[in-house]
Amino acid sequence: MRIGVFDSGYGGLTVLEKIRLRLPEYDYIYLGDNARAPYGTRSYELIYNYTWQAVRYLFQQGCALVILACNTASAKALRTIQQQDLPSLREEGQIINVLGVIRPTAEVVSKMTTTGHIGVLGTPGTVQSESYPIEFQHQNPSLVVTQQACPLWVPLIEAGEHQSAGADYFVHQYIDQLLERDDKIDTLVLGCTHYPLLLPKIREAVKGRNIRVVAQGDIVAASLDDYLHRHGEINGILTRGGTCRFFTTESAARFRESANIFLRRTISVQHIDLP
Ligand code: DGL
């Protein structure tokens, strides 16, 4: 059995890379729902429906564990999947689980801040779900969390424009808006798995301020490692061949080309249709 990694598009590749660096021995499947990305501006119902279709597909392909390497899907679909969909499959005897990226991020980041003021950059869907403030409050009720939706960043990245001079304008715009609302922020979470591609520009935008910018890949990888240690029933059925297969709902050629930007190597990809 494999570990599935799901994202609306390419962003989850930033998480997959870190997971495979830390846990290279397992077999993985990456699925990007690129034909229907971005998810960030879509309704709760659509994000849930699309995410559940993808998760089911990954189970059918032999995944026992699926990581929603997408904050938007984690924020809007994870709870329903865990509470409504997984129990009946488990009753049929399947050993399966689905994990998100928001809780592990909040657990780690809540301990990083000195001022107690945290900034979260995310898609409109993630921000509007309030998932990050809720998770941070669980960790430490005295934390002050200020969120900023960055609706143009994912389209910029998916269009391959994240290194262009034009991208600077939109990076500054959202960061400035956030810091105008709270200038005590000392820890800034990239709450969207696409955003690490903008990391150089984001660091530049906060230069001179005492702000630590945190991407999620390493956090999610460490949390998965810990999960597997604690869940022998799943760990025991995962195969160790060190392989990774890539699926996309978009054209395979387009995915291959863009995945190059994220992975800096050429991969083989298969097109699939989700119902
Ligand atoms: N990468 C996804 C996330 O982490 C969202 C991208 C999208 O809007 O589809 O939120």
Side-chain angles (χ1 to χ4, degrees):
M1 303 287 276
R2 292 171 175 260
I3 298 174
V5 177
F6 168 70
D7 183 50
S8 58
Y10 303 107
L13 294 172
T14 63
V15 174
L16 175 75
E17 276 296 86
K18 299 291 186 185
I19 291 178
R20 290 193 73 201
L21 264 179
R22 183 159 184 141
L23 301 163
E25 66 274 30
Y26 293 96
D27 292 304
Y28 296 89
I29 297 182
Y30 184 87
L31 170 56
D33 190 10
N34 300 75
R36 303 189 291 197
Y39 279 14
T41 45
R42 294 193 188 275
S43 69
Y44 167 86
E45 283 75 17
L46 266 187
I47 294 171
Y48 162 68
N49 284 334
Y50 290 174
T51 304
W52 179 231
Q53 287 168 10
V55 168
R56 252 188 344 220
Y57 181 83
L58 287 166
F59 286 156
Q60 284 158 8
Q61 296 303 309
C63 292
L65 184 61
V66 175
I67 315 296
L68 301 184
C70 173
N71 289 269
T72 312
S74 299
K76 298 229 167 187
L78 180 63
R79 183 190 289 258
T80 312
I81 289 175
Q82 281 177 338
Q83 294 181 352
Q84 174 190 300
D85 299 313
L86 294 186
S88 53
L89 294 179
R90 290 199 185 109
E91 273 168 27
E92 291 167 14
Q94 297 195 41
I95 300 170
I96 46 172
N97 205 4
V98 179
L99 305 173
V101 291
I102 295 181
R103 179 162 300 169
T105 304
E107 276 170 11
V108 172
V109 173
S110 60
K111 297 184 188 88
M112 288 179 170
T113 172
T114 311
T115 61
H117 289 242
I118 295 173
V120 177
L121 302 164
T123 66
T126 299
V127 166
Q128 173 239 331
S129 75
E130 294 280 322
S131 299
Y132 270 102
I134 293 167
E135 289 296 344
F136 276 120
Q137 291 307 305
H138 280 155
Q139 297 301 318
N140 177 353
S142 68
L143 291 174
V144 178
V145 180
T146 307
Q147 304 189 93
Q148 176 68 43
C150 312
L152 289 170
W153 285 5
V154 169
L156 266 174
I157 294 164
E158 296 262 326
E161 291 291 328
H162 52 286
Q163 284 169 330
S164 69
D168 286 326
Y169 174 82
F170 293 106
V171 168
H172 270 278
Q173 188 185 39
Y174 296 139
I175 302 262
D176 293 349
Q177 282 175 15
L178 175 69
L179 297 179
E180 263 165 38
R181 286 189 290 137
D182 185 355
D183 63 2
K184 293 198 191 68
I185 289 171
D186 70 349
T187 310
L188 188 54
V189 184
L190 305 188
C192 170
T193 52
H194 280 66
Y195 297 173
L197 271 89
L198 286 169
L199 202 52
K201 289 193 188 299
I202 295 170
R203 289 220 169 98
E204 187 60 34
V206 299
K207 207 165 146 189
R209 296 176 183 255
N210 204 7
I211 295 179
R212 178 174 188 172
V213 183
V214 187
Q216 297 173 295
D218 287 324
I219 296 174
V220 174
S223 150
L224 175 60
D225 195 353
D226 177 56
Y227 176 89
L228 292 172
H229 273 100
R230 289 184 291 107
H231 291 82
E233 75 291 358
I234 287 205
N235 199 13
I237 56 171
L238 294 174
T239 52
R240 272 91 164 155
T243 65
C244 186
R245 301 173 67 193
F246 293 87
F247 295 114
T248 177
T249 54
E250 242 280 11
S251 101
R254 184 164 145 61
F255 187 92
R256 195 176 310 115
E257 205 175 292
S258 302
N260 242 320
I261 303 172
F262 285 78
L263 300 173
R264 295 164 303 279
R265 65 188 154 82
T266 306
I267 52 167
S268 94
V269 192
Q270 194 182 324
H271 166 87
I272 59 133
D273 287 311
L274 289 174

